[in-house]
Amino acid sequence: MIELTEAPIDAEQIRLAVSSPQCGAIVLFLGTTRQFTDAKETLTLTYTAYAPMAQSQMEKLAAQAQARWPVEKCAIVHRLGEVPIGEASVAVAVSSPHRRDAFEAASWLMDRLKELVPVWKKEHWAQGGTDWVHPGLFPSQDDNGVQ
């Protein structure tokens, strides 16, 4: 299960997708929209992506994780469009025979996803204004290109 979606992320569906009787561990990480970033209040987030490349990169990352750790199954789901406060924008799940490998693989996947996958986040602030963010590609800038 590697996908981009505009629908809300269903954590139970993702858990079931990576479930395996050979595995004693499932790690499911959900990244959610928080109300405050530093001292700034967030109204909502909007995600956009270069979808063909993002899908391809997520598939490559899943394959790399499975080659690096004894991961039985892997899921990466990233939401696009508007994501309100409290809702999940990204899910990474892995199953493995043992918890340490599952935790390490899930953490590595999330870090690489943020670094390499062409998905951009636009933060809409309660006090007005917006910022585009992609931690791996460029620093945060407002709509006028000011850092």
Side-chain angles (χ1 to χ4, degrees), residues 44-111:
T44 191
L45 300 178
T46 304
Y47 288 88
T48 189
Y50 177 44
M53 186 176 187
Q55 182 76 30
S56 174
Q57 283 295 108
M58 292 189 317
E59 290 168 1
K60 287 177 187 175
L61 289 173
Q64 289 172 1
Q66 288 177 299
R68 189 169 174 176
W69 290 276
V71 169
E72 177 77 18
K73 295 182 183 178
C74 179
I76 304 171
V77 179
H78 206 301
R79 190 158 167 198
L80 301 177
E82 185 175 336
V83 182
I85 302 294
E87 291 190 19
S89 56
V90 64
V92 170
V94 298
S95 59
S96 182
H98 303 285
R99 72 180 180 272
R100 181 178 306 262
D101 293 322
F103 276 112
E104 288 176 4
S107 180
W108 180 87
L109 279 166
M110 192 61 228
D111 288 346

Side-chain angles (χ1 to χ4, degrees), residues 101-121:
D101 293 322
F103 276 112
E104 288 176 4
S107 180
W108 180 87
L109 279 166
M110 192 61 228
D111 288 346
R112 297 296 79 75
L113 179 107
K114 290 184 70 113
E115 179 183 336
L116 300 172
V117 176
V119 174
W120 298 275
K121 173 174 68 174

Side-chain angles (χ1 to χ4, degrees), residues 46-49 119-125 130-135 138-146:
T46 304
Y47 288 88
T48 189
V119 174
W120 298 275
K121 173 174 68 174
K122 188 173 191 177
E123 300 200 39
H124 301 265
W125 306 113
T130 61
D131 286 313
W132 281 101
V133 179
H134 188 294
F138 52 84
S140 176
Q141 297 181 339
D142 67 18
D143 287 338
N144 298 316
V146 177

